[in-house]
């Protein structure tokens, strides 16, 4: 597990981050813990892949690098840092 989520790097000057929503992952893991405590074998549980992702864009960094960011990408972003 990451100790510092990649979105943090965008907040301190990185350009863009597209990563799984870790809070959703933790909530889904709690469901697995519940099922195991109720007697299911861990080996019988399916592997879960992330289902939610977070897109963070830093417009200040994009401007400093002279990179245009399409409006369609900005519209899809979960967070835009200006």
């Amino acid at each position: 597990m990451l100790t510092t989520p990649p979105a943090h790097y965008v907040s301190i000057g990185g350009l863009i981050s597209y990563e799984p929503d870790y809070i959703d992952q933790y909530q889904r893991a709690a469901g697995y813990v519940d099922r195991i405590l109720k007697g299911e074998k861990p080996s019988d549980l399916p592997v879960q892949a992330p289902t939610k992702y977070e897109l963070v864009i830093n417009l200040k960094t994009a401007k400093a690098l002279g990179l245009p960011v399409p409006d369609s990408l900005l519209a899809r972003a979960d967070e835009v840092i200006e």
Side-chain angles (χ1 to χ4, degrees):
M1 184 175 82
L2 297 171
T3 57
T4 303
H8 169 73
Y9 297 114
V10 176
S11 68
I12 59 171
L15 177 61
I16 192 167
S17 172
Y18 185 66
E19 64 188 31
D21 181 344
Y22 293 109
I23 293 173
D24 180 59
Q25 292 283 94
Y26 298 144
Q27 290 171 344
R28 292 172 61 204
Y32 264 35
V33 171
D34 181 55
R35 290 170 66 179
I36 291 168
L37 292 176
K38 289 181 179 176
E40 286 190 56
K41 293 182 183 180
S43 61
D44 293 338
L45 298 174
V47 174
Q48 290 189 357
T51 57
K52 291 182 180 179
Y53 291 84
E54 181 180 33
L55 174 63
V56 181
I57 301 170
N58 188 327
L59 285 179
K60 184 177 178 180
T61 300
K63 184 177 179 181
L65 294 171
L67 299 172
V69 179
D71 290 335
S72 59
L73 186 60
L74 291 173
R76 291 176 185 231
D78 296 297
E79 182 179 352
V80 176
I81 299 170
E82 296 187 43

